[in-house]
Amino acid sequence: MPKKKVTKAVYLKWYEDMLFWRKFEDKASALYIQQKIRGFLHLYNGQEAVLAGALHAMEKGDKMITAYRNHVQPIGLGEDPRRIMAELFGKETGTSNGKGGSMHMFSKEHHFYGGHGIVGGQIPLGAGLAFADKYKGDKHVTLCYMGDGAVRQGAFHETMNLAMLWSLPVVFVIENNGYAMGTSVKRTANHEDIYKLGLGYEMPCAPVEGMDPLTVYNAMQEAVDRARSGEGPTLLEIRTYRYKGHSMSDAQHYRTKEEVAKYQEQDPILIVKKEIEDKKYATQKQLAEIDERVKSLVKECVDFAENSEFPKPEDLYKNVYSQEDYPFIINN
Amino acid sequence: MSRIIQFRQAVAEAMSEEMRRDENVYLMGEEVAEYNGAYKASKGMLDEFGPKRVIDTPISELGFSGIGVGSAMNGLRPIIEYMTFNFSLVSIDQIISNAAKMHQMSGGQLTVPIVFRGPTGSAGQLGATHSQSFESWFANTPGLKVAVASTPYNVKGLLKTAIRDNDPVLIMESEQMYGDKGEVPEEEYLIPLGQAHIDREGTDVTIVSFGKILKVVHAAAEELAKDGISCEVIDLLTVRPIDYATILSSVKKTNRMIVVEEAWPLGSIATELTYVVQREAFDFLDAPVRRITTADTPMAYAPTLVEAFLPSINQVIDAVKGVMYR
C-alpha cells in the first residue's frame, strides 16, 4: 500500500489536534489542582506526536487500546471531547457515565477500547481485539499501546509470543517516555533498546523517533500495512518524552529541569508549527485563529462538564452486569 | 429420551452444540484440540470444528485469557479452558480486573461474553499447588458469575447457559468427575444460573453443598436415613449469584443447617450462607449453623494427610447428629 500523502491539510490537522490535546491536558491539570478532577491524573503532554502520526496511518474500523495515559486518544479518534472532560469530572454525561474516570476512558463507537489501569494488563486485550478481527475475516488492525514500564510484565511477553504464533493483525506500540513512574528505563533492564525484545520472537521491530508525527507516521504506516496484509504483528519502540510527572502527585526528583527543557526544545507542536511556517501552509493570522478555536473548545468542554450532573447513587448498580435484573446482595 | 453418558461427554456436547448454534463461539486452551482435551472433555471437537475454532495454546494462561477477553470485547464468545483452576492464578488479573470490570468501566459500552471453565479443587494426592478451590475468591467479585457443576446433567445445562450469557461466567468441574456417568436428555435443555437444586428432600436438617464434595454429603445422608434422620440436600450449583431463597425456605422448614464445602474455612461460601441464615432466619434456628470445610492448611501429599484435609462422610454425620442434639 502506498504511503498516504502528508499534505498541508494533514499538517494543519496535526497542529490543531496536538494543540488541542495539549491545552485540554493543561486545563485538566489546572482543574485537578482546583479539585474538580480527582483520583489519579496522568497527562499526555510531550507525547502528542505518537498519537497524531498513528492516527494518520489508521483506517476506519481500526482499533486502539492503551493504558491509563488515555484522555486524548479517544478524542483523536473522534469522540466528543466534552464527554471526556465530563468523565474526568465524574459526571453522568461522561463517556462511562462517571464510572471510569481518568484511567478508564472508552469509546466503542470510535473503536477506542480503553483506558486500562493495570500496567501491561491491556496488552493481551489488544491482541484479543485483533484475534477477533482475524477470526471474523475483517481487515482491521489494532494499535496496542503501552509504556516502557509495561514491557517488564509477563503479559507483554506471553502476548508477543501468541501474536506471532497466530500472526495477529496488531501493532504493539511502546511509548518509551524514559520513565516507568520514577524508574528510568536503564534501571529496569540490562539494556535500553526496548525494541530488541521483539528479536527473540522474530517480530519485526524498530526504534522510532517520536517527537515528530511524520517519523511516527512513516513507521506506523509500514507496520499497519504489514498487519493488514496478513503478515502479522510489529513492535515499535517510539522514543518520546513526557513533560509532566507520572501523575499529578509526582515531585519528579528523578530527573532534572534541564532534561525536561532539552526535550521541550524539540516539542512536537513546535516541530509541526515550524513546518507550517516554512512551507507557508498558513499565515500567522490563520494560526492565531486555530489557537482561538482550540481555546474556545477547551472552554466548551469545561462548561459542559461543569453543567452536567453527577450520577445518582443508585447508578452504582447499573452496568455491572449486562443482565438487567442481576440480584445484588444488599445489606439490610 | 435420555441416555447415560460421562461427565466429559456432557461437557463436550454442551460446547459442540453451542458452537454449531453460534459461529462466534470458540474453544481455546492447553491441549484442547489435537490432544482432545487433557481430560478428553473436548474429544472430537477439533475434527468437527477445525483449528480456527478449537485452538491449542502454549502454556500461557495470562496471555490466552487476556486474548479471550479482548476477543469478547470485539464480538466473539470464547470458552477458555484451564487444565485446572489452580493454573488460573497466573491469569487472575485478566479475570478480575478486565473481564469482570469492562462492562462497568466502559459505562456499558462493552460486554465480555466469555466462559472460563475447568476443574477445581483436589484430585487425589497432588499436593498443595494442584488441590485448591477458588470458588469463593471468584464469587467475591462483582461482574462475574460462578457455577460449580456436580453431575453430567447439570454441567451440560449450566455450560450451555453460560456460553449464551452476555456476562463473564466461570464453570467449575473436577478431574475426579470427568468419568462419572449420569442421565442426560437427548433433547436440548438449559439450566439457569442462580438457581439451587434440591437433590434430596428431607425434614430434619438442611445440608447445603456444591461440586464434587456433594458425593460425601449424599453418602452421609444415606447413612443418616438408616438412623431415621431425614436430610434435605441442596446443591447450590451457582455460587454467584446465590439462590438464598431456596436455602432460607429449606431452613425455615428443617430449622437446622450444615454447609459442606471443599475449600478453606476463612471467607468461604459457607461463611456467607451462615451470615445470611442467621440474619434472615434467626428465629427459625434450633441449633447453631455448622460448616464442614477442608482443614485450614494447604493440602498435603500423604494419603493420611489427604484424608485429614478433606470433608468426610463421618464429619458430616457427626455434624448432623450434633445439630440434632443426638
Side-chain angles (χ1 to χ4, degrees):
Chain A
M1 199 182 291
K3 276 192 179 145
K4 294 170 195 164
K5 289 198 173 107
V6 181
T7 58
K8 166 183 163 182
V10 172
Y11 265 97
L12 289 173
K13 180 171 168 45
W14 278 348
Y15 178 70
E16 185 158 350
D17 279 356
M18 292 199 296
L19 189 67
F20 177 69
W21 303 335
R22 177 76 55 91
K23 297 296 177 192
F24 184 95
E25 294 285 64
D26 283 343
K27 191 69 196 177
S29 170
L31 290 161
Y32 189 86
I33 291 160
Q34 293 172 40
Q35 300 194 350
K36 299 273 188 184
I37 296 172
R38 309 301 298 262
F40 292 142
L41 187 74
H42 309 87
L43 302 173
Y44 205 61
N45 298 39
Q47 301 182 210
E48 293 89 349
V50 188
L51 177 60
L55 289 171
H56 191 49
M58 291 173 78
E59 301 294 334
K60 193 168 168 51
D62 287 351
K63 297 169 180 62
M64 186 179 283
I65 185 168
T66 188
Y68 43 77
R69 207 174 295 287
N70 71 134
H71 311 149
V72 300
Q73 290 88 341
I75 298 172
L77 285 161
E79 181 55 76
D80 181 348
R82 296 176 308 167
R83 297 191 63 209
I84 301 295
M85 188 62 87
E87 188 63 32
L88 288 171
F89 273 64
K91 297 295 181 78
E92 65 177 5
T93 53
T95 37
S96 295
N97 316 122
K99 293 227 178 72
S102 165
M103 296 190 283
H104 310 116
M105 298 292 177
F106 291 85
S107 175
K108 186 184 179 188
E109 183 189 349
H110 299 284
H111 312 292
F112 183 69
Y113 286 81
H116 296 274
I118 307 291
V119 172
Q122 82 283 8
I123 303 171
L125 298 182
L129 296 169
F131 176 94
D133 278 333
K134 184 173 178 173
Y135 185 99
K136 292 185 278 187
D138 293 336
K139 290 283 174 200
H140 303 313
V141 175
T142 297
L143 271 57
C144 179
Y145 278 73
M146 69 202 81
D148 47 270
V151 305
R152 312 306 180 200
Q153 287 275 35
F156 170 78
H157 294 273
E158 291 190 22
T159 307
M160 293 284 281
N161 181 57
L162 289 164
M164 282 304 287
L165 179 67
W166 296 331
S167 195
L168 300 180
V170 57
V171 182
F172 297 107
V173 185
I174 301 159
E175 292 187 88
N176 180 359
N177 63 20
Y179 296 91
M181 199 165 157
T183 304
S184 64
V185 171
K186 65 169 176 274
R187 294 205 293 130
T188 66
N190 67 328
H191 70 83
E192 291 183 57
D193 289 324
I194 295 174
Y195 73 92
K196 287 181 182 166
L197 295 176
L199 299 175
Y201 302 98
E202 299 193 350
M203 187 182 294
C205 54
V208 180
E209 195 283 301
M211 301 308 273
D212 183 341
L214 186 62
T215 57
V216 173
Y217 164 69
N218 286 332
M220 199 68 74
Q221 185 69 62
E222 195 184 320
V224 165
D225 289 350
R226 181 178 295 122
R228 205 183 310 281
S229 64
E231 290 170 60
T234 303
L235 177 68
L236 298 177
E237 178 199 345
I238 304 197
R239 290 171 177 172
T240 180
Y241 199 76
R242 70 167 147 76
Y243 299 161
K244 303 283 187 179
H246 165 72
S247 69
M248 290 296 289
S249 58
D250 178 3
Q252 303 176 58
H253 296 309
Y254 50 85
R255 64 182 183 185
T256 61
K257 288 199 171 100
E258 291 71 32
E259 181 182 300
V260 180
K262 189 188 89 185
Y263 277 95
Q264 282 173 330
E265 283 167 20
Q266 32 165 337
D267 186 286
I269 298 174
L270 292 181
I271 289 173
V272 166
K273 191 175 185 187
K274 184 168 183 304
E275 185 73 8
I276 289 170
E277 287 167 343
D278 288 354
K279 296 254 175 76
K280 298 195 169 27
Y281 284 160
T283 62
Q284 286 307 316
K285 183 165 170 286
Q286 286 166 322
L287 287 173
E289 282 166 7
I290 291 175
D291 294 358
E292 270 313 302
R293 273 208 300 276
V294 161
K295 216 167 126 186
S296 105
L297 184 54
V298 170
K299 186 175 180 308
E300 251 184 74
C301 292
V302 178
D303 290 347
F304 177 80
E306 289 272 18
N307 293 323
S308 295
E309 299 294 327
F310 283 114
K312 294 176 278 302
E314 59 267 31
D315 292 341
L316 189 60
Y317 292 93
K318 258 194 221 163
N319 295 329
V320 177
Y321 291 90
S322 63
Q323 178 189 342
E324 295 208 349
D325 59 349
Y326 181 85
F328 290 97
I329 296 172
I330 312 281
N331 288 325
N332 61 0
Chain B
M1 283 292 289
S2 68
R3 67 257 134 89
I4 305 288
I5 60 170
Q6 283 190 328
F7 191 106
R8 57 167 58 88
Q9 191 184 338
V11 171
E13 282 187 4
M15 295 192 292
S16 299
E17 287 174 18
E18 294 307 303
M19 284 175 66
R20 283 175 211 129
R21 184 175 173 269
D22 182 348
E23 65 180 21
N24 287 327
V25 179
Y26 71 91
L27 172 65
M28 176 183 277
E30 293 152 7
E31 311 291 2
V32 297
E34 293 191 13
Y35 198 86
N36 278 306
Y39 298 100
K40 308 297 175 208
S42 51
K43 195 174 174 193
M45 290 179 64
L46 175 64
D47 287 346
E48 178 175 356
F49 299 102
K52 181 190 165 192
R53 299 181 65 196
V54 181
I55 305 162
D56 277 330
T57 67
I59 303 168
S60 307
E61 285 87 0
L62 164 52
F64 69 74
S65 298
I67 286 177
V69 176
S71 76
M73 290 160 67
N74 189 11
L76 300 187
R77 305 183 79 87
I79 306 165
I80 301 297
E81 176 175 311
Y82 295 122
M83 202 179 287
T84 140
F85 267 96
N86 288 289
F87 305 161
S88 73
L89 293 192
V90 293
S91 68
I92 202 165
D93 178 52
Q94 294 299 325
I95 303 172
I96 305 287
S97 297
N98 287 345
K101 306 293 192 295
M102 206 64 66
H103 191 62
Q104 189 255 18
M105 287 195 308
S106 67
Q109 295 181 67
L110 300 172
T111 53
V112 182
I114 191 168
V115 173
F116 299 99
R117 52 154 288 272
T120 181
S122 68
Q125 290 175 255
L126 295 174
T129 59
H130 283 54
S131 310
Q132 309 171 94
S133 301
F134 298 114
E135 292 87 308
S136 62
W137 290 29
F138 290 113
N140 185 246
T141 302
L144 300 179
K145 297 173 182 176
V146 185
V148 190
S150 58
T151 66
Y153 173 79
N154 62 38
V155 77
K156 184 172 178 185
L158 289 168
L159 182 50
K160 282 171 68 79
T161 301
I163 294 167
R164 293 185 197 184
D165 199 289
N166 287 325
D167 293 310
V169 185
L170 283 73
I171 299 286
M172 308 243 187
E173 303 155 13
S174 164
E175 294 96 327
Q176 292 181 326
M177 289 197 295
Y178 288 119
D180 287 0
K181 289 180 176 170
E183 218 170 275
V184 173
E186 296 274 5
E187 51 283 356
E188 177 163 80
Y189 65 98
L190 298 167
I191 297 176
L193 297 170
Q195 280 186 18
H197 181 259
I198 300 173
D199 280 4
R200 179 186 182 112
E201 292 201 19
T203 52
D204 294 331
V205 184
T206 297
I207 309 180
V208 183
S209 187
F210 57 87
K212 77 161 190 289
I213 208 68
L214 264 162
K215 291 179 185 177
V216 167
V217 174
H218 283 297
E222 280 297 313
E223 282 300 308
L224 288 159
K226 291 175 195 164
D227 276 351
I229 297 174
S230 164
C231 299
E232 179 142 299
V233 178
I234 298 177
D235 183 352
L236 209 49
L237 288 174
T238 307
V239 295
R240 185 180 188 95
I242 288 175
D243 179 1
Y244 296 107
T246 296
I247 295 163
L248 288 169
S249 95
S250 176
V251 170
K252 287 176 182 177
K253 178 177 75 175
T254 64
N255 312 109
R256 295 171 171 85
M257 182 172 83
I258 288 167
V259 187
V260 182
E261 180 176 2
E262 186 188 334
W264 297 307
L266 200 156
S268 59
I269 299 293
T271 311
E272 163 65 14
L273 297 181
T274 306
Y275 166 77
V276 170
V277 165
Q278 68 79 31
R279 181 72 183 87
E280 303 292 336
F282 188 77
D283 293 337
F284 291 85
L285 289 174
D286 285 346
V289 173
R290 296 270 300 266
R291 70 179 175 197
I292 299 165
T293 62
T294 68
D296 193 20
T297 67
M299 190 161 112
Y301 169 69
T304 47
L305 300 178
V306 170
E307 199 187 328
F309 175 79
L310 291 171
S312 68
I313 296 169
N314 282 340
Q315 279 179 315
V316 178
I317 290 171
D318 288 350
V320 168
K321 288 187 173 167
V323 298
M324 298 285 295
Y325 303 109
R326 280 172 60 167

